[in-house]
Coordinates of all heavy atoms in Angstrom, one line a residue:
N3 N -90.6 24.3 -55.2 CA -90.0 23.0 -55.5 C -89.2 23.0 -56.7 O -88.9 22.0 -57.2 CB -91.1 21.9 -55.4 CG -91.6 21.7 -54.0 OD1 -91.0 21.8 -53.1 ND2 -93.0 21.5 -54.0
I7 N -80.3 25.4 -59.6 CA -79.0 25.2 -60.5 C -78.0 26.3 -60.1 O -78.4 27.5 -60.2 CB -79.4 25.2 -62.0 CG1 -80.5 24.2 -62.3 CG2 -78.2 25.1 -62.8 CD1 -80.1 22.8 -62.0
L105 N -64.7 13.9 -59.0 CA -66.1 13.9 -58.3 C -66.6 12.5 -58.3 O -67.5 12.1 -59.0 CB -67.0 14.9 -59.1 CG -66.6 16.4 -59.1 CD1 -67.6 17.1 -60.0 CD2 -66.6 16.9 -57.6
V108 N -70.6 11.2 -57.9 CA -71.6 12.3 -58.1 C -72.9 11.9 -58.5 O -73.0 11.0 -59.3 CB -70.9 13.3 -59.1 CG1 -70.9 12.7 -60.5 CG2 -71.7 14.7 -59.0
A128 N -74.0 30.8 -77.9 CA -73.9 30.8 -76.5 C -75.3 30.6 -75.9 O -75.5 29.9 -74.9 CB -73.2 32.1 -76.0
V152 N -70.7 13.8 -64.9 CA -70.0 14.9 -65.5 C -70.3 14.8 -67.1 O -69.8 13.9 -67.7 CB -68.6 15.1 -65.3 CG1 -68.0 16.3 -65.8 CG2 -68.4 15.2 -63.7
S293 N -47.6 -4.8 -81.7 CA -48.0 -4.3 -80.3 C -47.8 -5.4 -79.3 O -47.9 -5.2 -78.1 CB -49.5 -3.9 -80.4 OG -50.3 -5.1 -80.7
S303 N -52.7 -0.9 -71.5 CA -53.6 -0.6 -72.6 C -54.6 0.5 -72.2 O -55.2 0.4 -71.2 CB -54.3 -1.8 -73.0 OG -55.4 -1.5 -73.9

Side-chain angles (χ1 to χ4, degrees):
N3 292 320
I7 304 301
L105 298 172
V108 66
V152 178
S293 65
S303 175

